[in-house]
Amino acid sequence: MAGNDNILSVENLRVRFHTLDGMVEAVKGINMYVKPGETVAVVGESGSGKSQTMMAAMRLLASNGEATGTIAYRGANLLTLTKSELNEVRGRKITMIFQEPMTSLDPLYTIGNQLMEPIMRHRKVGAEEARKEAVKVLKLVRIPEPERRMKSYPYEMSGGQRQRVMIAMAIANDPDLLIADEPTTALDVTIQAEILNLMADLRKRLGMSMIFITHDLNIVRRIADRVYVMKLGEVVEEGETRAIFANPKHPYTKALLAAEPTGHKEPVPKTAPTMLDGTDMRVTFKIGGGFLAGDPIYLKAVDRVSVKLRRGQTIGIVGESGSGKSTLARALLRMVPSEGAIHFDGRNIEKFDTQQMRPLRKQLQIVFQDPFGSLSPRLTSGQIVTEGLLVHEPSITSKERDRRAAQAFTEVGLDPANRNRYPHEFSGGQRQRIAIARAIILKPKVVVLDEPTSALDRQVQKQIVDLLRDLQQAHNLSYLFISHDLAVVRAMADHIMVMKDGRMVEQGSPEEIFDHPHEEYTKRLMAAAFADHAVA
């Protein structure tokens, strides 16, 4: 352990969770420290304990969790502070930003209200002064038109803008230490670079220390002074960033540095039957308008895009945030209103209403980007996986549902004995496996995979890619694979569509798109994604 001038010192930290299956130890007696003004990265795959270490530091563990040891901020053990003492530190001296800003921001309150609240609470100032400080901090994180954005709601902002707001909230009270838990994994490669540059600039300007939790070692190379590598709740290697990258000692660190999704999917025969066919698809959103609100603005989220998905095929849909790729998939599944012809398994479904679509839902499944947000925290993992059976196969017995759940768990590589655990007791990769199990238990024909690996570390990404391939082969599934992670798309897809501003700008085989792109936008996307081998 370094000297006593550390901003944060962690000694013999243990984090445990009480579960129905007994005690689970997530962090096993680790030590680490952070010096003033430095950036420390904590890396490791899902389930390594890196996030739980920082949740313990912030006293934000789930109700069934407990932490022992010492987490000292300027000499005071955060684990033993009273609630009032803790509140003097948390949110003011030590702040935290999370991986998914949409679930961290309150959808019912404006950005301005959410920024002003911690300023008023910790600085004991009035609303007018808090408003001025909020505008100032929005300018600092480079939000355009900050005065106008104060009145915006989270859903009115892009993912990158929401993450900037979260950073603004974290630095509003001039903290000593900022903990960033996977703050860029849900962002496309160009926005990720902007956020990383912003955070590095803010650290220098404000003189704060930073802990950066990530599974992406290319980010570590760019932003960190020192690195702690964690595996299964233990620190297996630590040191200066340059030394770790130049000469990794532990086999696990070497494996992390070498991890990259690989493989190649053979194209399906042209004679394979068409499962999902969208022709001239258009989705338009109305923004604003109404009494005293002026004329509405119409946004073309999807503008005359056609897609034909065959049995056993994987179509990768790529593009930056706001390109329309997720909206297109939802339109094809009749989850958002759209124009254009839609055929599923030979049936014209473009005019189907909710009632008519309900019997087809079991055959048209979707797996979302954020498994923690899409899994109910009040249900066990077994109940989550069998939710669809209650709707689509209500006549089967509870014993049969449980048998099917155990079978689905086995198929996605999870221990069926863990069916009674809740989502927060699993790692990110395990939660995504639960989400996949929930989809495949209904024996679908088409699965939309909406950024299913973006929140996962490279080693777990490889495992999920292999799992999805195996499931596709076993069940002859058709996938729409939406992602900004081009390395994963290259490994998964046999056909790729590139989208920009609601339009499809280019499509072709992975070889054509990656090795011989024609459009300037595609070329820029490829260059940004594979710069320094960093794929976001």
Side-chain angles (χ1 to χ4, degrees), residues 118-270:
I119 295 173
M120 289 190 290
R121 172 176 292 184
H122 290 290
R123 297 197 198 178
K124 306 293 190 285
V125 298
E128 188 55 38
E129 187 174 344
R131 181 176 297 280
K132 291 178 181 178
E133 288 298 316
V135 170
K136 186 188 300 183
V137 81
L138 282 179
K139 287 180 181 177
L140 194 60
V141 299
R142 302 170 198 160
I143 291 284
E145 302 180 85
E147 291 86 356
R148 184 176 68 84
R149 280 304 191 183
M150 289 281 287
K151 301 175 183 177
S152 297
Y153 289 87
Y155 72 87
E156 296 177 298
M157 308 183 83
S158 69
Q161 288 173 327
R162 288 195 293 265
Q163 197 60 284
R164 288 173 187 269
V165 170
M166 288 299 299
I167 295 171
M169 291 176 69
I171 66 170
N173 290 306
D174 193 18
D176 289 336
L177 174 65
L178 171 63
I179 301 171
D181 189 357
E182 302 277 12
T184 62
T185 53
L187 305 175
D188 64 68
V189 64
T190 51
I191 304 301
Q192 182 190 74
E194 291 176 9
I195 295 297
L196 291 175
N197 291 336
L198 170 65
M199 295 182 72
D201 179 56
L202 289 173
R203 186 196 76 164
K204 292 175 183 176
R205 291 176 65 176
L206 302 177
M208 64 184 178
S209 303
M210 190 157 62
I211 298 175
F212 206 97
I213 305 168
T214 185
H215 59 251
D216 191 332
L217 288 173
N218 290 296
I219 290 177
V220 173
R221 190 198 300 265
R222 292 178 57 181
I223 202 168
D225 301 306
R226 290 188 302 111
V227 183
Y228 289 92
V229 181
M230 290 188 68
K231 181 183 182 184
L232 299 177
E234 299 179 329
V235 173
V236 297
E237 188 163 359
E238 62 180 282
E240 292 186 0
T241 303
R242 287 185 180 179
I244 292 288
F245 276 83
N247 188 26
K249 299 290 196 301
H250 196 276
Y252 177 68
T253 310
K254 295 176 182 178
L256 281 181
L257 288 168
E260 185 82 2
T262 57
H264 170 76
K265 185 182 183 303
E266 291 298 324
V268 298
K270 292 183 178 179

Side-chain angles (χ1 to χ4, degrees), residues 498-517:
V498 182
M499 291 190 66
K500 182 180 188 295
D501 298 331
R503 290 179 172 268
M504 182 176 67
V505 297
E506 190 165 357
Q507 66 174 321
S509 69
E511 291 75 19
E512 291 169 332
I513 296 299
F514 283 86
D515 300 333
H516 307 289

Side-chain angles (χ1 to χ4, degrees), residues 396-405:
I396 65 174
T397 64
S398 58
K399 185 176 180 180
E400 173 63 12
R401 278 198 304 274
D402 191 56
R403 186 194 69 78
R404 295 266 293 272

Side-chain angles (χ1 to χ4, degrees), residues 8 14 196 206 217 268 276 285 313 335 343 348 369 377 429 465 498 505:
L8 195 75
R14 295 182 180 275
L196 291 175
L206 302 177
L217 288 173
V268 298
L276 191 60
F285 292 121
Q313 185 180 34
M335 295 174 69
H343 289 81
N348 187 339
Q369 172 178 335
V465 166
V498 182
V505 297

Side-chain angles (χ1 to χ4, degrees), residues 370-385 387 421-426 431 434-435 438:
D370 176 20
F372 197 69
S374 65
L375 305 179
S376 172
R378 295 181 176 84
L379 299 179
T380 65
S381 57
Q383 290 171 327
I384 288 168
V385 168
E387 270 185 300
R421 292 188 182 181
Y422 289 86
H424 72 267
E425 298 172 44
F426 292 92
R431 287 196 291 263
I434 292 169
R438 178 173 59 181

Side-chain angles (χ1 to χ4, degrees), residues 45-77:
E45 63 187 356
S46 298
S48 63
K50 57 187 187 296
S51 291
Q52 296 302 339
T53 297
M54 295 306 131
M55 294 297 274
M58 296 294 283
R59 298 267 292 272
L60 293 174
L61 290 174
S63 58
N64 65 332
E66 63 177 41
T68 59
T70 302
I71 304 176
Y73 164 70
R74 296 193 181 279
N77 187 0

